[in-house]
Amino acid sequence: QLQLVESGGGLVQPGGSLRLSCAVSGFTSDYYAIGWFRQAPGKEREGVSCIIVSDGTTDYADSVKGRFTISRDNAKNTVYLQMNGLKPEDTAVYYCAAIGYRPPWVVVRTFDPREYESWGQGTQVTVSS
C-alpha cells in the first residue's frame, strides 16, 4: 500500500480559502489515481475530486465545481486541493486516497470509495463565522 498524509485543514470563515495537501510515499510507481473525499457528521463519505495520475485528467463533484481545484506536483509526490469560496456545508473531514495500478481495459469508478486501496488519516475543515 501507499502511505498518504493530509494536511492544511483548519477553521475558516465563509468565503475563505484553504489548500489541502496529500503527500504520497511508499510504492509510487504506476498508481492510477488520487482522490479527495469528505465526510460530515451523520453523513456518508462522498467523493469531492480526483486526478488520474497518468494524464492529469480531473473530475469534480457538482457541489464544488468552480470553487475547488485539484492539482499535482509529481516531483514532490504531492496532490493538492485548492478550496475557494468555502461554504458552511463544506465542513467535513477531508481524506485523500489512492487507487493502485489498473490494466487499461478495466473501468475504474473514481468516485467510488471502494475502488481505493490506500487512505490518509483525514484533516478537519471547518467553515464557520
Side-chain angles (χ1 to χ4, degrees), residues 2 4 6 37 45 95-98 113 116-121:
L2 301 174
L4 304 99
E6 304 97 331
F37 293 78
R45 190 167 298 186
Y95 301 88
C96 64
Y116 291 80
E117 294 112 0
S118 302
W119 291 82
Q121 83 288 348

Side-chain angles (χ1 to χ4, degrees), residues 7-84:
S7 62
L11 173 64
V12 297
Q13 294 184 343
S17 298
L18 284 173
R19 189 181 74 165
L20 305 183
S21 298
C22 176
V24 182
S25 62
F27 181 76
T28 57
S29 298
D30 297 324
Y31 58 96
Y32 180 78
I34 299 292
W36 285 98
F37 293 78
R38 66 187 182 187
Q39 189 164 22
K43 297 183 178 180
E44 66 183 47
R45 190 167 298 186
E46 64 173 347
V48 176
S49 184
C50 66
I51 184 166
I52 309 301
V53 174
S54 61
D55 62 10
T57 301
T58 61
D59 201 6
Y60 300 90
D62 288 342
S63 59
V64 306
K65 286 180 179 177
R67 300 188 296 122
F68 291 11
T69 303
I70 190 170
S71 62
R72 61 180 175 176
D73 186 333
N74 290 335
K76 297 181 179 180
N77 290 323
T78 300
V79 174
Y80 304 97
L81 185 67
Q82 179 67 46
M83 306 186 296
N84 299 326

Side-chain angles (χ1 to χ4, degrees), residues 92-110:
V93 177
Y94 283 71
Y95 301 88
C96 64
I99 299 175
Y101 173 77
R102 296 290 186 272
W105 57 88
V106 173
V107 176
V108 181
R109 305 177 73 175
T110 51

